[in-house]
Amino acid sequence: MPPNELCNAYDAAASNSNACKPIHKPPEPETCTEQQLTKELHIAPMLNYSTREFRQLLRILSKRAVVWTEMVVDDTIRHCKPSNLDEFLGYDAEQHPIICQIGGNSPAACGDATGVVLDTYGYDEVNLNIDCPSERVSGKREFGAVLMTKARLAVEIVKEMQLRSKSEEADAADVNSPSSRVSIKCRIGVDDLDDLEFAAGFIRTLHPVCRRFYLHARKCVLKGLMNARQNRSVPPLN
């Protein structure tokens, strides 16, 4: 398979006008080059670290970095009492641009969660976790990285998320065009499905419903490891 296959899939995703549109407009000091102004720095979600307080510290350190929440499970958002939701979704106004990452495998539940995240809390973007390899997430709950092996289900989930993102989408002239406020974070492979064709095929399948992809640039192993932490070293990076 030609080595540029994956790049071609990325280029296809970027062909839409919303594809690589920055989720915020950074300041424009005269000393910045055009390339610097359009480049985004994201602080990826980290369990037990990407708290409200940690994000506030990051914002003090950088006004332009895009900060992320920890993954919030769709059912938590869907069933939590409104008075308690701030514990999971609350943030300070200075933290924009900010992305909320959700996890789940139910189109309806992820759609409802998207509505709350974007409409009620005003996040700049909502991201679907197709990245987490833990047994509790990808095993028992069957979401996270395992959804890379269930691309059709992932499509249905993102479709519902897109529908719920439209209510406040100011620049959605075409209601059939995927919103840039909905994105996916995934791996480059799962278990033995780790070649370029698999990764490119996954992106091609999701491309009609999603224009923003964030890649954790290593595969994950869902079967045969003692714990999810081993995915940080197995397989070893070249």
Side-chain angles (χ1 to χ4, degrees):
M1 178 179 180
N4 64 349
E5 177 71 16
L6 184 57
C7 294
N8 291 338
Y10 297 159
D11 292 341
S15 63
N16 182 273
S17 60
N18 286 330
C20 297
K21 177 181 176 182
I23 67 171
H24 73 293
K25 185 177 181 180
E28 299 184 1
E30 294 181 0
T31 56
C32 287
T33 66
E34 182 177 354
Q35 183 181 27
Q36 289 173 324
L37 290 172
T38 56
K39 190 177 296 183
E40 294 183 2
L41 170 65
H42 290 251
I43 312 300
M46 297 171 283
L47 181 64
N48 297 327
Y49 286 94
S50 298
T51 62
R52 184 172 185 167
E53 295 77 14
F54 180 68
R55 296 194 304 266
Q56 192 68 8
L57 173 61
L58 293 174
R59 182 55 69 232
I60 293 171
L61 296 174
S62 171
K63 301 298 183 184
R64 298 182 63 231
V66 182
V67 296
W68 292 52
T69 67
E70 299 177 85
M71 180 186 71
V72 186
V73 178
D74 54 2
D75 282 341
T76 299
I77 300 173
R78 200 182 197 191
H79 301 300
C80 186
K81 293 180 180 179
S83 58
N84 295 332
L85 262 180
D86 273 1
E87 177 183 349
F88 304 99
L89 298 179
Y91 63 92
D92 299 288
E94 299 85 5
Q95 290 180 17
H96 288 287
I98 183 170
I99 297 175
C100 178
Q101 185 181 73
I102 67 172
N105 63 6
S106 163
C110 287
D112 289 345
T114 296
V116 174
V117 167
L118 296 181
D119 299 346
T120 304
Y121 277 85
Y123 278 82
D124 297 291
E125 183 176 319
V126 60
N127 176 268
L128 179 64
N129 184 314
I130 307 185
D131 175 47
C132 181
S134 77
E135 169 61 23
R136 186 172 66 174
V137 171
S138 281
K140 296 178 182 179
R141 300 292 300 275
E142 295 189 343
F143 64 92
V146 74
L147 285 177
M148 287 198 73
T149 67
K150 302 178 179 182
R152 295 300 174 185
L153 174 58
V155 167
E156 295 306 313
I157 294 170
V158 178
K159 273 185 181 179
E160 194 63 30
M161 292 173 66
Q162 290 286 3
L163 288 175
R164 294 302 301 270
S165 75
K166 297 297 184 179
S167 59
E168 294 292 327
E169 181 67 17
D171 60 352
D174 181 1
V175 295
N176 295 316
S177 176
S179 167
S180 60
R181 299 177 75 197
V182 174
S183 62
I184 289 172
K185 184 171 183 287
C186 61
R187 299 276 180 149
I188 58 173
V190 177
D191 292 326
D192 293 331
L193 302 170
D194 57 2
D195 58 14
L196 288 175
E197 184 175 0
F198 173 73
F202 179 78
I203 291 175
R204 281 195 299 266
T205 300
L206 273 294
H207 175 249
V209 295
C210 185
R211 293 294 190 265
R212 290 182 72 89
F213 294 85
Y214 302 92
L215 269 71
H216 183 156
R218 66 181 300 159
K219 65 177 281 185
C220 65
V221 180
L222 302 181
K223 303 174 182 178
L225 297 184
M226 293 176 60
N227 56 63
R229 289 179 179 270
Q230 288 184 289
N231 273 289
R232 299 173 187 173
S233 57
V234 179
L237 297 177
N238 293 328

